[in-house]
Amino acid sequence: MTTHIKQITSESLSEAKKIIFDGGVVAIPTETVYGLGGNAFDDSAVEKIFAVKGRPADNPLIAHVHKEYDLSNIIDYDPPYAKALREAFLPGPLTLVYPSTGKVSPCVSCGLNTLAVRIPAHEGAQAFLRAVDIPVVAPSANISKHVSPTSAQHVFEDFNGKIPLILDGGACEGGIESTVCDITGDIPVILRPGLITKEMIAGVVGACEEYTPALQEGEKVKSPGVLYKHYAPRCKTALYTDTAEAVNACQAEKRAGKRVAVLCEEEKLPCFAREGVILFNLGKTEEEMASRLYGLLREAEKACDTLIAVKPTKQGGKMTGVLNRLTKACLSVDIKH
Ligand code: TXA
Ligand code: MG
């Protein structure tokens, strides 16, 4: 199969629509990361997404809809505070988990009675979702466990020859996946942190909790995705909190003849500026770090044998999502791709 990358035009949208209604998958841009989209009502399209990504069968998918879509088709109950959240943040990088009507394919939620719904802000995503006018499930468009894609080229690198079409909507501004927030209870619970923070949600609803997957025996995990290793570059990685330790590790790897790269916030770069070390600048602000992270991890895996990452000093707020992704990416030492 030849994989085409196309700008978003009325022709490419018609082509994408045809592929979706024929049961195929199309990569689409969003403001967070690129997604691998398929018809949420079509069992075989949903199965195809799991197969092409190599995704574990118990990790549910997010249904994406345009901003005028009638949510009552797919959600069974709209909790009282949900409207305020939609008005404050949507369209945007917030996914809400509702009780499901069960009308989408059962494969979407992997047996859970909830459905994660996202209304992306990206103009190209909206145009595509309006064109198809159905819920489209779209996990991040990367091979399972690999770094999420923030450009059409990243998607191409993972799926060349495996999908027919990538709609090119430019570089993703946000850079990390949407905040996933369970709204089935009295208080919203963040299952995956992102650029819509706990504080922002609590500011609208009055309260918000964060789910930490410390499972008691016999307890069912609420968001299976949080347990998997994710976002991993295909090189050896290590994450340091202490800069001096990171400098030592860097030197030891160099002595061992490895190509070494360092990924850190801008102000720490001078600590690592020495011959033969490749430097990746995460930036200064939370937003910069979020939008650069995945692109830099993908550059690193091409350029080095060992990536030494240094934990940025900022914490909380939007950094929670950035640190969550960076930490998971650097758990990858023992993953053989
Ligand atoms: O920004 C995003 O959310 C991107 C773009 C493409 O929209 N999509 C994305 O999808 O990150 P994916 O499949 O890579 O991650 C979906 C996350 C997983 O952690 C999954 O476990 C969780 O959402 N999830 C999906 N449905 C759920 C449900 N019914 N209950 C709890 N968690 C759910
Ligand atoms: Mg993903």
Side-chain angles (χ1 to χ4, degrees), residues 169-233:
C172 303
E173 243 176 70
I176 60 170
E177 299 84 346
S178 62
T179 305
V180 177
C181 183
D182 184 315
I183 56 166
T184 59
D186 294 338
I187 294 175
V189 180
I190 292 183
L191 304 178
R192 178 178 71 182
L195 295 178
I196 305 290
T197 65
K198 182 179 166 184
E199 295 77 17
M200 289 159 78
I201 293 174
V204 171
V205 176
C208 179
E209 285 173 1
E210 226 154 352
Y211 174 66
T212 36
L215 284 189
Q216 302 299 314
E217 210 177 321
E219 190 187 341
K220 221 179 155 191
V221 58
K222 268 195 158 176
S223 189
V226 297
L227 291 183
Y228 292 111
K229 288 183 179 180
H230 263 113
Y231 325 113

Side-chain angles (χ1 to χ4, degrees), residues 33-34 53 55 59 138-149 177 192 230-231 294 325:
V33 300
Y34 275 71
K53 269 190 68 113
R55 184 180 178 95
N59 192 9
S140 51
N142 51 277
I143 298 289
S144 190
K145 299 187 179 67
H146 193 213
V147 183
S148 300
E177 299 84 346
R192 178 178 71 182
H230 263 113
Y231 325 113
Y294 288 145
R325 306 311 192 278

Side-chain angles (χ1 to χ4, degrees), residues 244-258:
E245 274 179 33
V247 170
N248 286 341
C250 201
Q251 279 162 340
E253 287 294 299
K254 256 176 58 190
R255 277 197 303 275
K258 307 286 185 207

